[in-house]
Amino acid sequence: MNAASITGSVTDFLLAVEGLTVSFDGFKAVDDLTFYVDENEIRVIIGPNGAGKTTVLDLICGRTRASDGSIKFKGAELTKLREHEIVHAGIGRKFQNPSIYEDLTVFENLELSYPKGRTVVGALAFKRDAQVIERVEEIAAMIFLENQLDERAAVLSHGQKQWLEIGMLLIQDPELLMLDEPVAGMSVAERKKTAELLHRIIQDRSVIVIEHDMGFVEDIAHKVTVLHQGRILSEGSMAKVKADPKVVEVYLGH
């Protein structure tokens, strides 16, 4: 979908953020922000520290409440929903540090994240059947951990732990996945495999990534949004934002 489509119905987009603002003690961390994410898109948000990048993810997932504006996901308003309701709507969020169960195996971590229904009865009735095993093995192969299923998560490399947490989100089948600095601390080889993973998983979902590694951004981004002081400084292809003098001045030049 091109920019001209914005004049049409915003429900054509998977995610429509419009006029989004949040103030903390009078300071606008996000200021009248508007952007749109298509289906099957990798959107990367970059910018200097304090630009409001993580706050945008906090607003989308309901961790922080907007002061003003709208966040529509598949046409439905999110700003009044609670965090767990937004998860059930189809949005998954990964934070900067891996949040996994280190004493459990890779298989058990993925199994714990398998959707068990939204009721206590559904959770109690859950059992490890052929469908669960097949789904866990499918996700493990996608995240390059099919040979580590019986290993404790504690022995995985840093990059493998990051992949495992992404897998724990993927097994819930979100339609929008949000990743905060997913390749921080990874080796060059792990960064390349993570780029490969993201290109795989957008076959049936979209991804928003916050990242500082510009090489990785070039490898993955369909579109880049540059934030500065809570506002969009520039937006478009990586080539376009790299050539923008404003972006060079406030971010890339440093």
Side-chain angles (χ1 to χ4, degrees):
M1 187 175 300
N2 57 37
S5 303
I6 293 174
T7 57
S9 169
V10 296
T11 56
D12 292 342
F13 295 93
L14 183 70
L15 183 76
V17 173
E18 297 187 313
L20 191 63
T21 300
V22 66
S23 299
F24 302 116
D25 299 323
F27 168 72
K28 288 185 176 179
V30 174
D31 186 7
D32 196 24
L33 181 67
T34 295
F35 70 95
Y36 303 90
V37 177
D38 278 328
E39 293 181 356
N40 313 112
E41 177 184 340
I42 300 177
R43 171 67 58 94
V44 183
I45 301 175
I46 65 173
N49 290 332
K53 303 183 297 296
T54 297
T55 304
V56 170
L57 299 196
D58 288 343
L59 288 160
I60 294 169
C61 78
R63 201 176 201 204
T64 298
R65 289 288 175 200
S67 307
D68 199 8
S70 168
I71 306 168
K72 286 192 172 70
F73 179 64
K74 298 193 298 182
E77 183 62 50
L78 297 184
T79 52
K80 300 294 188 284
L81 298 184
R82 297 177 181 176
E83 282 188 74
H84 72 275
E85 293 172 322
I86 292 171
V87 170
H88 287 317
I91 296 179
R93 164 85 180 272
K94 183 196 176 310
F95 295 87
Q96 288 181 16
N97 297 316
S99 178
I100 58 176
Y101 302 100
E102 298 217 340
D103 289 337
L104 300 181
T105 66
V106 169
F107 187 102
E108 289 165 339
N109 269 276
L110 292 171
E111 182 182 37
L112 268 178
S113 302
Y114 186 90
K116 305 169 181 67
R118 298 177 189 177
T119 64
V120 174
V121 173
L124 291 174
F126 175 79
K127 62 181 185 296
R128 182 186 290 184
D129 57 20
Q131 183 179 1
V132 173
I133 293 169
E134 182 182 357
R135 181 65 173 153
V136 168
E137 290 176 345
E138 177 189 352
I139 294 295
M142 187 180 285
I143 59 173
F144 317 113
L145 295 178
E146 65 267 38
N147 297 323
Q148 283 79 30
L149 277 169
D150 296 325
E151 291 184 11
R152 284 175 59 245
V155 306
L156 299 177
S157 71
H158 173 72
Q160 289 174 324
K161 288 176 180 177
Q162 298 277 37
W163 296 337
L164 177 56
E165 188 176 16
I166 291 172
M168 291 165 71
L169 291 172
L170 287 176
I171 205 164
Q172 298 170 42
D173 207 22
E175 292 176 69
L176 175 64
L177 193 60
M178 303 193 298
L179 309 175
D180 200 342
E181 296 190 36
V183 297
M186 283 191 183
S187 68
V188 173
E190 287 173 335
R191 289 200 296 271
K192 286 191 178 300
K193 290 188 85 169
T194 303
E196 180 187 330
L197 170 60
L198 294 189
H199 285 299
R200 275 189 204 177
I201 67 180
I202 57 153
Q203 301 308 312
D204 47 10
R205 62 182 53 79
S206 298
V207 183
I208 297 176
V209 180
I210 290 175
E211 192 49 69
H212 288 290
D213 184 321
M214 290 301 105
F216 180 69
V217 174
E218 289 204 56
D219 284 345
I220 65 165
H222 295 155
K223 196 168 186 180
V224 178
T225 298
V226 187
L227 289 189
H228 179 53
Q229 297 176 345
R231 286 178 162 266
I232 292 180
L233 183 68
S234 185
E235 191 170 67
S237 68
M238 187 62 184
K240 178 189 171 187
V241 301
K242 274 175 67 177
D244 189 326
K246 300 191 301 283
V247 178
V248 174
E249 180 186 351
V250 306
Y251 185 52
L252 297 179
H254 300 281

